[in-house]
Amino acid sequence: MLAGSLMLAGSTMLAGCDRRPDTGAVIVSAIGSAPRLADASRVALDTPARLMMDSTAQGLVRFDAAGQIEPGIAERWIVIDNGMSYIFRLREGDWGDGTPVTAEQVVAMLKRQIGGAIAAGGSHHDSRNPLAPFLTAIDEIVVMTPQVIEVRLSRPRPDLLKLFAQPELALLRLRPSGGTGPFRIAQRGRAPLLRPAFDPGQADPDDQREARPQEDVRLIGERAARAIARFANRDSDLVSGGSFVDWPLLATADVAPASVRVDPAVGLFGLAIVRRDGFLADAGNRAAVSEAIDRTALTTAIASAWDPADRILPDILDSASLPQVPAWTLLTQDERRVAARRRVTAWTGGPIMVRIALPVGPGATLLYAQVAASLMAVGITPMRVGIDDAADLKLVDAVAPYDSARWYLATACVTCGDAAQAALEAAREAPTLAERGVRIAAADAAMNEDVAFIPLARPLRWSLVAARLRQWQANSRAWHPLNRLRADTN
């Protein structure tokens, strides 16, 4: 795997290169727009906004450096009733202006993010939070005491904490705006300075008032080329949020190989079929498009150690069966091309043109070149369009927020047939985990038959990391909290 090969190189070379003084604020370049605090129920968050939310407005729980769950606003929790009830005890805290955090406020904020029938005030609220569709098992969120809340489920969800740890479920007070830390905004602007928040639960509160500039973080949002150049010039300590789009830029930068870190990210990377008319109206023809693409050539053209993928599910996860595999995986690439060309030749509806929606960037250009070459080899004319333009195929590049096969299948089903949609809905409504596994397996089979998604690889996520950030760890969520970068200096 790409991550494994580069992590090995980094571990053997890190000690002797790219030494920077461990003084002053940690400078972080996040690829994207200027960082901002934003309500995830109303607007999409890019990497700088997600880091800003995670740093200043944590959720009930949060991710540590290794991508594992640690306390956030909740200091502890228990799961009872066979996974149907999560009870959280809130820690003592405030919203940054001395106003204490209360259970009523936390419940109202969670309802705003989740939306639907449990919206704040009892009225329906359509949340745009991307996690809301995966939280429909939440039946009720109630205040038990001033410091305790309960999340009651209609169906068991063992991975619920991983969803609550996502920045999209950080608890942000809107008026006046603020969160509970672990940082406060010490200086505002396009590159805000973040300073550790006072924690009343810490053993020595006076020790927190001692100025430690090295514990501050300066968060910058900028395009990848500028972020890489800043790091290469030793004017920053971390570049976060890299993807396949910008990976080729690293070859042109004077960056030590040990500084390049790749996460073993899990998730989806492929082309969703978003229009099902003409040639793409037939599942056999959609399969022909999928089998025509030379995945090994595609991934190698972008990153030599990037592994291709030919199925939606990476593993069995919570399905009752092994992942479904397209029948054409038993064929060689030449045999696949011949079979795909036969389908194209048999088509009587005229010339076949397929519009492919991709983001802007050198990695996306390389991806398009490989996909286009594969399609033209079987008689299909490709056309590249913008990621938000009308298209027939659209790139999906997403890290899985939690480890359920249903997330993969539902995310792959941008536009899928009635049978596949019904199978996915049945899996969502399964009353027990055992039945859920059976229904997920059925949904996987239905999605494989429907051919609504063309898997290509797994998400490529990379960072540039200075040696002073000794707590940074690669992880499957590809998420690196800004309060978990430097080793504890206390």
Side-chain angles (χ1 to χ4, degrees):
M1 285 183 64
L2 180 63
S5 61
L6 282 178
M7 285 302 294
L8 178 60
S11 64
T12 58
M13 299 174 63
L14 184 59
C17 67
D18 198 29
R19 286 292 182 186
R20 307 175 192 212
D22 193 11
T23 58
V26 173
I27 308 299
V28 176
S29 286
I31 296 174
S33 57
R36 57 176 178 157
L37 279 176
D39 182 3
S41 72
R42 289 172 169 81
V43 298
L45 306 183
D46 63 358
T47 297
R50 296 183 85 230
L51 284 170
M52 190 73 168
M53 287 291 290
D54 182 71
S55 299
T56 62
Q58 63 193 336
L60 288 171
V61 294
R62 53 188 290 111
F63 288 122
D64 65 12
Q68 301 300 311
I69 299 297
E70 67 175 8
I73 286 181
E75 61 182 357
R76 59 182 182 270
W77 53 89
I78 59 172
V79 184
I80 61 175
D81 292 343
N82 296 315
M84 300 288 281
S85 173
Y86 286 69
I87 298 176
F88 297 89
R89 180 169 189 83
L90 308 182
R91 67 168 66 225
E92 181 183 354
D94 65 68
W95 297 109
D97 60 358
T99 304
V101 174
T102 67
E104 289 85 355
Q105 294 169 326
V106 170
V107 168
M109 292 173 188
L110 283 173
K111 288 180 177 180
R112 183 180 75 238
Q113 293 301 335
I114 296 170
I118 61 169
S123 60
H124 186 82
H125 169 70
D126 291 325
S127 173
R128 297 176 61 185
N129 194 309
L131 299 181
F134 304 101
L135 293 166
T136 58
I138 295 178
D139 188 51
E140 193 175 12
I141 306 176
V142 298
V143 175
M144 298 184 71
T145 76
Q147 293 300 120
V148 178
I149 71 169
E150 181 182 10
V151 179
R152 300 169 181 167
L153 307 182
S154 58
R155 303 172 294 276
R157 290 293 183 269
D159 271 340
L160 186 63
L161 291 178
K162 292 177 182 176
L163 286 168
F164 279 151
Q166 298 291 330
E168 285 79 5
L169 288 181
L171 300 175
L172 175 67
R173 187 179 59 172
L174 297 179
R175 296 183 183 86
S177 66
T180 62
F183 289 100
R184 303 280 187 231
I185 303 174
Q187 295 177 10
R188 296 183 181 273
R190 291 186 59 82
L193 181 69
L194 307 179
R195 181 158 293 155
F198 176 78
D199 183 355
Q202 188 165 309
D204 188 359
D206 290 336
D207 188 52
Q208 298 180 65
R209 298 185 174 92
E210 180 183 338
R212 290 191 182 93
Q214 68 271 23
E215 293 183 355
D216 293 348
V217 173
R218 177 78 69 181
L219 179 59
I220 303 168
E222 57 190 350
R223 56 190 177 89
R226 185 178 291 274
I228 294 169
R230 189 188 300 273
F231 186 91
N233 200 41
R234 299 195 174 194
D235 291 330
S236 68
D237 303 288
L238 175 67
V239 175
S240 194
S243 73
F244 89 103
V245 169
D246 307 303
W247 176 264
L249 295 175
L250 295 175
T252 67
D254 184 19
V255 174
S259 298
V260 181
R261 310 289 190 88
V262 178
D263 285 295
V266 296
L268 279 177
F269 184 89
L271 298 169
I273 296 174
V274 294
R275 284 186 63 89
R276 298 160 66 100
D277 53 12
F279 184 76
L280 296 178
D282 182 85
N285 291 342
R286 297 194 292 271
V289 173
S290 183
E291 68 179 327
I293 297 174
D294 188 340
R295 290 160 174 76
T296 300
L298 183 155
T299 54
T300 302
I302 298 171
S304 59
W306 191 16
D307 290 337
D310 56 14
R311 63 205 70 181
I312 296 175
L313 300 185
D315 206 341
I316 191 170
L317 300 175
D318 53 350
S319 173
S321 301
L322 292 172
Q324 290 285 316
V325 181
W328 51 257
T329 58
L330 299 175
L331 306 177
T332 66
Q333 189 60 51
D334 287 341
E335 290 171 333
R336 297 175 192 177
R337 188 174 295 114
V338 169
R341 190 182 296 116
R342 188 178 302 122
R343 297 285 307 197
V344 171
T345 302
W347 171 250
T348 59
I352 304 169
M353 187 187 74
V354 173
R355 297 164 298 172
I356 306 171
L358 298 172
V360 175
T365 298
L366 291 173
L367 183 147
Y368 176 72
Q370 293 298 321
V371 172
S374 291
L375 296 184
M376 288 189 292
V378 300
I380 297 174
T381 301
M383 174 185 291
R384 179 176 179 174
V385 299
I387 192 65
D388 294 320
D389 293 340
D392 302 292
L393 308 179
K394 182 175 183 177
L395 183 70
V396 173
D397 180 11
V399 175
Y402 68 117
D403 300 309
S404 172
R406 189 183 174 275
W407 176 87
Y408 287 83
L409 297 170
T411 304
C413 180
V414 176
T415 303
C416 54
D418 292 342
Q421 290 184 20
L424 283 168
E425 182 65 14
R428 184 183 69 84
E429 295 179 345
T432 67
L433 292 178
E435 181 63 22
R436 178 178 169 86
V438 172
R439 294 187 187 183
I440 285 176
D444 188 21
M447 285 288 290
N448 187 61
E449 183 177 351
D450 190 65
V451 196
F453 187 79
I454 300 174
L456 299 176
R458 296 300 162 196
L460 171 57
R461 295 291 185 269
W462 59 269
S463 302
L464 300 180
V465 186
R468 72 181 289 208
L469 306 185
R470 293 183 291 275
Q471 200 177 162
W472 190 100
Q473 295 183 51
N475 61 76
S476 62
R477 302 290 158 223
W479 187 245
H480 307 286
L482 300 187
N483 67 321
R484 294 287 184 260
L485 297 178
R486 297 180 63 256
D488 188 4
T489 56
N490 293 332

